[in-house]
Amino acid sequence: MIPTSSVKTRFRRFLAILVGALLLVVLAAGGYRVVSGYRIGQGLLHPPQVRAERPAATGELAGLEDVAFTTADGLTLRGWYVPSRNRAAVVLVHGFAGNRAQLLFEARALAGAGFGVLVFDSRAHGESDGDRVTWGDGERRDVTAALDFVSARPDVDPARLGLFGFSMGGTTALLVASADPRVKAVAAAGAYPALEADVYSGYGRWGALSAEPVLWTLRRAGVDVDAVRPIDGMCRLQGRPLLLINGDVDPDAPAKLQASLFRSACEPKALWVVEGAGHGEYAKVAPEEYARRLREHFSQALLRVD
């Protein structure tokens, strides 16, 4: 007969081995999530730069010019500009891993209505300078420089400026509009209310274990994650019209996040949820209504006679 004390000793050893094995599994899983989060963060900082193909300067884009301007931190950004025929202008800001050509539909819709239109490559995108994407933080300087450029054009009344942005560009547009009174109207499609919330939405399958390494990587690269929170400044638009656009099957900008932006904004504001549209599919799903809504939004704000 095996002594009771011996059985207890063996059981304790078994438990110690089991706990140790489980701890190793947990540590290994945590280490994997950290490494994976770091790699994801690096990808978010350094997407491939794809050069945009220049469209023909005909039709709505007649008079299109190649332009360049410099940001406050010394980066040269390159883009295309269509001169204004109604003294108003709209700056268009593309999304992550895109370039100026991503917004040619919007450019044609607005230029065809007489607006001056500037589309440009944000930092670290397309043909513009920059060694990393900062998800709305440094891009605020890009948009401010773009507004400086169009406001100095002889064909533009600097009191009639608008902003449109898609995805990351939409978030950046909201950040700038809340702080720059030159922007008299803003529209954002597929924007996120806060960078941290967007990272958790996209990479938070395992909660903090998978999301925090991504955020740590961005912060370590100099991104001020806490500054990229347009939701905090929605009412600073102070009566300037706001249009928010989102697809109802958009996995990259969930409706619940977009709705929080809308709820935080003060009037006048409008939200258009495009049925059947994913991220950036508004022109594909409802081209005529999309163009009409953009034209009407900026016309009512920028062309009215005070």
Side-chain angles (χ1 to χ4, degrees), residues 191-194 197-198 201 231 252-263:
Y192 43 89
D198 190 57
S201 175
I231 192 169
D252 297 318
K256 62 182 180 180
L257 296 183
Q258 188 88 137
S260 68
L261 271 175
F262 184 70
R263 289 193 302 269

Side-chain angles (χ1 to χ4, degrees), residues 157-168:
D157 178 353
R160 299 177 185 272
L161 302 181
L163 260 182
F164 170 87
F166 165 63
S167 193
M168 181 184 78

Side-chain angles (χ1 to χ4, degrees), residues 280-302:
E281 293 182 338
Y282 328 111
K284 176 182 177 181
V285 173
E288 293 182 3
E289 184 175 4
Y290 184 35
R292 177 183 61 79
R293 284 178 180 266
L294 289 177
R295 288 193 297 264
E296 289 181 355
H297 176 69
F298 288 110
S299 293
Q300 291 170 5
L302 305 181

Side-chain angles (χ1 to χ4, degrees), residues 150-268:
V150 294
S151 64
R153 293 278 310 192
D155 53 295
V156 174
D157 178 353
R160 299 177 185 272
L161 302 181
L163 260 182
F164 170 87
F166 165 63
S167 193
M168 181 184 78
T171 292
T172 308
L174 293 173
L175 286 169
V176 173
S178 68
D180 194 330
R182 292 180 299 176
V183 179
K184 297 302 188 289
V186 61
Y192 43 89
L195 179 53
E196 183 173 352
D198 190 57
V199 168
Y200 265 85
S201 175
Y203 306 105
R205 179 181 180 184
W206 303 99
L209 187 62
S210 55
E212 287 299 327
V214 178
L215 291 168
W216 177 85
T217 304
L218 297 180
R219 289 189 170 103
R220 186 171 181 270
V223 179
D224 189 348
V225 172
D226 299 326
V228 185
R229 289 182 53 85
I231 192 169
D232 294 338
M234 297 301 287
C235 274
R236 294 186 200 129
L237 292 173
Q238 298 175 330
R240 291 169 287 161
L242 166 71
L243 171 62
L244 293 176
I245 301 167
N246 196 38
D248 69 343
V249 291
D250 182 351
D252 297 318
K256 62 182 180 180
L257 296 183
Q258 188 88 137
S260 68
L261 271 175
F262 184 70
R263 289 193 302 269
S264 299
C266 295
E267 297 289 351

Side-chain angles (χ1 to χ4, degrees), residues 103-117:
L103 299 179
L104 282 176
F105 178 91
E106 293 83 353
R108 288 189 172 96
L110 294 170
F115 291 97
V117 175

Side-chain angles (χ1 to χ4, degrees), residues 15 53 63 102 125 128 148 175 218 240 247 262 271 286 298 303:
L15 283 180
E53 182 177 346
Q102 188 178 50
H125 286 86
S128 290
D148 293 341
L175 286 169
L218 297 180
R240 291 169 287 161
F262 184 70
L271 172 63
F298 288 110
L303 301 183

